[in-house]
Amino acid sequence: MNPILNLERVTVEFVRQRAVGRPRQVLHAVNEVDLEIAPGEAVGLVGESGSGKSTVARAITGLNPVTSGAIGVDGNSVLRAKGKDLRMLRRRFQMVFQDPYSSLDPSMSIGSTLTESLTVHGLERGPAAVERAADMLLAVGLRSADLAKYPHEFSGGQRQRIAIARALMTDPDLIILDEAVSALDVSTRAQVLDLLQGLRRDRRLAYLFIGHDLAVVQRMSDRIAVMYLGRIVEVGPADDVIRNPQHPYTASLLASVPQVGSRGAERAAELRRRLHVRADPPDPWNPPSGCAFATRCPFVMEMCRAETPPAVEIASEAVSRCHLATDAGRGTESEARWDRAREFLAMPSPAS
């Protein structure tokens, strides 16, 4: 079975022009990213701000041009498709953006917002399109009477439900959720997450769930991919990535999660001590040679500064881009300290 989405060595570059006579600068916002999503699978994509998560999403949807690499949908190339063929492929994946206030056109009624995609893709018009829009509103917990209203008449959570309904209008196989719940309050966030899980189950949807809240991403995902400075540095089953990270950057993200209670806070402080990571990432316009995380990693070795680590298969469906996972990195003092840190991370949190 073909993956519903397949990224092969996808690279997205941005160019900054310099003064006359000086070389231009190139930013590798996405750097040779490989990622697959199977039909009905949910894959989480996590990382700090600026790691390239949203750029990956925008590259898939055509909002950012791809410099090199390949993007396939069910075995068909998105980048080579043109005209009608491209529109047919794009019907199969839709996107829900982070901000429910800016992602809807304030001058368009909800009915017009939802039926627009049907018109663009030549699917339905007139009463049939309106009926489908009403069905989608009901599917996300709103009323068909809301078709006549405008975005300003809804709360943030309701607007995000409308955005989800809009994404469902073309009956897609994959929905890309780019920080789709991060702008919502806690109770509304839980409701929208429950909605997304129900829709995935009922419609056999695949998700690319982009976020920074590790607990939310773990809850929503079958697998998690971790990005740092444009590269995916770790991929694996969601629970395994959270409980047994294979890359120091992933462990540092977990160490930064706030803990409830005094004993939990003490444990978090000890973990941060073991994973003492420098706060500031390098300038993405001038990244370090070798491993991009080498300037912050507490387990850095000389080879890390000289060579870009390869993707190493740790276990079935688990991959890490870290020299500590290679034959050259095994048996070193850095590996021993890394293993002790991971053992501490894997221990159950004490009751507060």
Side-chain angles (χ1 to χ4, degrees):
M1 181 185 296
N2 287 324
I4 190 60
L5 180 69
N6 183 32
L7 276 60
E8 294 182 3
R9 300 178 67 85
V10 170
T11 296
V12 177
E13 296 177 352
F14 298 115
V15 177
R16 182 163 65 184
Q17 297 295 337
R18 304 295 299 275
V20 176
R22 300 186 64 186
R24 65 179 188 170
Q25 284 187 300
V26 178
L27 170 65
H28 293 86
V30 176
N31 197 347
E32 297 188 345
V33 161
D34 295 321
L35 187 65
E36 285 190 356
I37 302 179
E41 183 185 28
V43 174
L45 188 59
V46 300
E48 293 170 292
S49 297
S51 61
K53 308 184 302 295
S54 293
T55 307
V56 168
R58 294 173 69 86
I60 295 168
T61 55
L63 297 175
N64 281 141
V66 174
T67 305
S68 62
I71 299 176
V73 172
D74 198 16
N76 300 290
S77 173
V78 174
L79 301 181
R80 289 200 298 265
K82 305 291 182 183
K84 182 180 178 181
D85 291 338
L86 180 59
R87 285 197 299 274
M88 290 188 66
L89 286 177
R90 284 184 171 169
R91 280 169 46 185
R92 303 187 63 182
F93 56 93
Q94 296 293 314
M95 187 165 174
V96 177
F97 296 90
Q98 175 179 358
D99 187 357
Y101 294 92
S102 64
S103 63
L104 301 176
D105 187 336
S107 67
M108 294 177 65
S109 70
I110 303 308
S112 297
T113 295
L114 297 186
T115 58
E116 182 182 34
S117 60
L118 298 180
T119 303
V120 169
H121 290 287
L123 296 177
E124 292 174 344
R125 293 180 181 272
V130 174
E131 182 178 357
R132 180 165 178 78
D135 289 343
M136 289 304 103
L137 284 185
L138 292 173
V140 299
L142 297 175
R143 304 174 303 158
S144 57
D146 293 328
L147 290 171
K149 296 182 179 180
Y150 287 81
H152 72 270
E153 300 179 69
F154 297 91
S155 67
Q158 289 173 324
R159 292 189 197 194
Q160 203 63 303
R161 289 173 182 265
I162 293 167
I164 293 168
R166 177 176 60 185
L168 293 171
M169 288 295 291
T170 62
D171 196 22
D173 300 295
L174 168 73
I175 296 182
I176 301 167
L177 300 146
D178 187 9
E179 300 275 9
V181 297
S182 62
L184 306 178
D185 62 65
V186 174
S187 61
T188 304
R189 181 184 307 174
Q191 294 169 11
V192 172
L193 291 174
D194 288 342
L195 169 65
L196 290 170
Q197 288 181 314
L199 290 170
R200 180 190 169 202
R201 180 183 60 250
D202 296 342
R203 297 172 179 268
R204 291 189 55 78
L205 288 166
Y207 288 155
L208 176 59
F209 193 91
I210 299 171
H212 62 272
D213 187 321
L214 293 173
V216 170
V217 174
Q218 181 185 15
R219 170 185 170 184
M220 294 296 296
S221 306
D222 301 313
R223 290 187 298 131
I224 291 177
V226 183
M227 282 197 79
Y228 181 74
L229 217 64
R231 287 188 185 272
I232 290 181
V233 297
E234 179 172 356
V235 183
D239 290 345
D240 292 350
V241 169
I242 298 299
R243 295 172 184 169
N244 187 26
Q246 299 296 320
H247 196 284
Y249 176 63
T250 308
S252 73
L253 291 178
L254 294 167
S256 68
V257 176
Q259 301 289 323
V260 177
S262 59
R263 294 184 65 190
E266 290 174 3
R267 181 176 182 275
E270 171 62 16
L271 181 57
R272 285 193 293 271
R273 187 189 68 78
R274 293 174 182 240
L275 295 166
H276 180 62
V277 176
R278 296 180 185 177
D280 296 327
D283 180 3
W285 290 95
N286 186 30
S289 58
C291 175
F293 192 57
T295 58
R296 305 174 72 192
C297 182
F299 312 107
V300 63
M301 300 175 288
E302 193 57 39
M303 71 181 76
C304 303
R305 299 186 176 92
E307 305 170 20
T308 300
V312 179
E313 186 173 352
I314 305 297
S316 176
E317 298 185 329
V319 173
S320 174
R321 281 187 173 271
C322 180
H323 284 300
L324 291 168
T326 65
D327 291 338
R330 294 192 179 103
T332 61
E333 174 57 28
S334 290
E335 188 203 27
R337 289 188 292 111
W338 166 227
D339 285 345
R340 288 195 294 271
R342 285 197 302 138
E343 287 171 4
F344 184 83
L345 183 65
M347 291 169 57
S349 298
S352 55

